[in-house]
């Protein structure tokens, strides 16, 4: 019996300052601006609102949730892992100097949602998160929470059909899908235009 292994990678095209078509700095997504990513409503003081599901996507940029869903968690035991990780995290003092997030997390209740950026590198023992609406304030996860989140997210099944529908460039045992997106990405790199593409490979 063969086991399929999945490898994903996000490639970014660097935006050259002199290149035509690059997004000006003033027009790039601002971390502090209000958006649909923020809580729709705020519970009353002391009121506990149970989350109904947690949606995970692979992050593309600061200040915005990637709409291409990687996985959805609805079981109470899984949701609790996310809730406990946030609850036990400690605020990081000082100015953050961080790379692009690994994941976007949306915790939804019946009437509101909370959107987070999550840093969860496979080789790191300590993860971190920020609110999507405030990427200047970070919270350090405990080692235990980091390990539990890694196990939960990285063991999530991500089929080749889902990857293709999400717009990934997919390599399924040598058979490529969405190859045109790769060509477009390469052309943008040559032109100095800002772009990003996820490459997902399935190996035996």
């Amino acid at each position: 019996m063969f086991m399929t292994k999945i490898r994903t990678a996000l490639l970014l095209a660097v935006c050259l300052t002199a290149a035509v078509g690059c997004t000006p700095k003033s027009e790039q997504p601002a971390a502090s601006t209000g958006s649909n990513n923020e809580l729709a409503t705020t519970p009353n003081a002391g009121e506990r609102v149970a989350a109904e599901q947690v949606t995970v996507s692979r992050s593309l940029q600061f200040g915005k949730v990637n709409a291409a869903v990687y996985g959805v968690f609805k079981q109470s035991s899984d949701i609790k892992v996310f809730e406990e990780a946030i609850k036990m995290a400690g605020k990081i003092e000082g100015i953050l100097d961080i790379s692009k997030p690994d994941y976007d997390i949306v915790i939804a209740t019946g009437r509101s949602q909370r959107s987070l950026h999550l840093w969860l590198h496979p080789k790191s023992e300590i993860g971190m998160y920020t609110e999507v609406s405030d990427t200047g304030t970070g919270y350090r996860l405990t080692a235990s929470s980091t390990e539990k989140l890694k196990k939960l997210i990285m063991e999530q099944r991500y089929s080749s059909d889902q990857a293709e529908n999400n717009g990934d460039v997919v390599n399924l045992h040598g058979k490529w899908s969405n190859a045109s997106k790769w060509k477009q990405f390469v052309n943008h790199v040559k032109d100095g235009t800002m772009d990003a593409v996820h490459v997902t490979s399935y190996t035996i």
Side-chain angles (χ1 to χ4, degrees):
M1 180 177 181
F2 294 99
M3 180 176 293
T4 300
K5 296 181 180 179
I6 305 174
R7 293 184 299 173
T8 64
L10 171 65
L11 302 180
L12 298 173
V14 178
C15 180
L16 303 179
T17 55
V20 177
C22 293
T23 304
K25 185 175 182 181
S26 60
E27 296 179 7
Q28 291 177 353
S32 60
T33 56
S35 69
N36 292 331
N37 294 324
E38 297 181 10
L39 286 174
T41 59
T42 302
N44 296 326
E47 179 183 0
R48 178 176 174 79
V49 180
E52 296 177 350
Q53 71 174 36
V54 178
T55 303
V56 178
S57 58
R58 296 164 301 168
S59 192
L60 289 174
Q61 64 186 56
F62 287 99
K64 185 177 181 180
V65 172
N66 181 10
V69 175
Y70 182 77
V72 179
F73 299 91
K74 296 183 177 181
Q75 293 187 9
S76 58
S77 58
D78 294 339
I79 294 174
K80 186 177 180 180
V81 172
F82 289 94
E83 292 180 326
E84 288 297 317
I86 295 169
K87 180 181 178 181
M88 299 301 294
K91 185 177 180 180
I92 300 173
E93 301 297 334
I95 300 174
L96 296 179
D97 182 13
I98 49 180
S99 59
K100 183 191 70 64
D102 297 303
Y103 299 99
D104 298 325
I105 309 294
V106 177
I107 303 174
T109 68
R111 59 178 182 173
S112 66
Q113 67 179 29
R114 184 180 183 183
S115 300
L116 310 173
H117 287 318
L118 179 64
W119 284 258
L120 207 64
H121 193 276
K123 295 183 179 180
S124 176
E125 296 182 357
I126 300 294
M128 187 192 83
Y129 80 87
T130 70
E131 301 285 344
V132 168
S133 59
D134 179 15
T135 57
T137 305
Y139 300 86
R140 184 179 291 107
L141 302 175
T142 66
S144 176
S145 293
T146 300
E147 188 61 31
K148 290 178 181 178
L149 286 174
K150 280 184 183 180
K151 181 177 178 61
L152 199 59
I153 295 175
M154 296 177 185
E155 291 185 358
Q156 176 74 10
R157 184 177 182 274
Y158 189 61
S159 69
S160 58
D161 288 340
Q162 183 182 357
E164 184 176 352
N165 290 334
N166 277 345
D168 296 10
V169 176
V170 181
N171 176 12
L172 180 61
H173 312 314
K175 180 181 178 181
W176 291 87
S177 301
N178 291 334
S180 60
K181 290 184 176 294
W182 176 255
K183 293 179 181 178
Q184 175 180 285
F185 174 77
V186 172
N187 289 334
H188 284 167
V189 171
K190 293 178 180 179
D191 295 340
T193 304
M194 181 69 77
D195 199 2
V197 63
H198 270 116
V199 179
T200 302
S201 299
Y202 297 81
T203 59
I204 297 177

